[in-house]
Amino acid sequence: IGPARKAGKPGFMAYHCAGDVNYSGQVMPFGGGTTGSINGGKQFDTLNNFDNTTNFRFTAPVAGVYLFTAQCNANPTSNAGVSRARWRINGGTIGGDIHFRGHGGINRTAQDLDQRSYTVILNLQKNDYVDVYAYDNRFDLFGANSMSGHLLS
């Protein structure tokens, strides 16, 4: 077992269950849904710090430097739509508004998915929480999308 899964070291991987789509104006529910769920949408969660039932966020059990990555699909609702989702710490955007951005504009149609992946390294204090929030237009999540993180140091 690799270092991210050592006993006592926080780490998780939550995937989104099939059948749940079109999120906008809310926290993206990685690990949520029930269709095709295995382990409740979590591949692993060493210290049970990822809430996959209510808030869909990771809460740091100790202060430190953490690595997070997430994958999601931008799914603009119209030709003019641009989908945006943002990393957040304690409900506030980070790093000059670091965000996932889908395509928009000419020749885009509804259901035209753009796979997006983003990795961040964040300095967290004990009890800080991290989530991904769909702000503009919408994002789809289904079985191919996940969020993961672990303590680096």
Side-chain angles (χ1 to χ4, degrees), residues 40-105:
K42 289 196 262 188
Q43 184 67 30
F44 71 93
D45 188 356
T46 57
L47 299 178
N48 202 32
N49 295 106
F50 185 81
D51 175 3
N52 69 322
T53 59
T54 307
N55 298 311
F56 307 103
R57 63 189 184 198
F58 173 82
T59 302
V62 297
V65 177
Y66 290 80
L67 180 135
F68 294 93
T69 188
Q71 299 80 38
C72 52
N73 292 306
N75 184 13
T77 57
S78 70
N79 207 25
V82 175
S83 301
R84 288 185 179 89
R86 291 168 173 87
W87 288 100
R88 302 188 315 172
I89 298 175
N90 300 329
T93 57
I94 63 168
D97 194 27
I98 293 172
H99 66 277
F100 301 80
R101 182 185 190 279
H103 291 291

Side-chain angles (χ1 to χ4, degrees), residues 11-34:
F12 75 95
M13 189 247 184
Y15 60 90
H16 195 76
C17 301
D20 298 319
V21 296
N22 299 331
Y23 298 102
S24 184
Q26 69 184 84
V27 172
M28 293 203 291
F30 292 102
T34 56

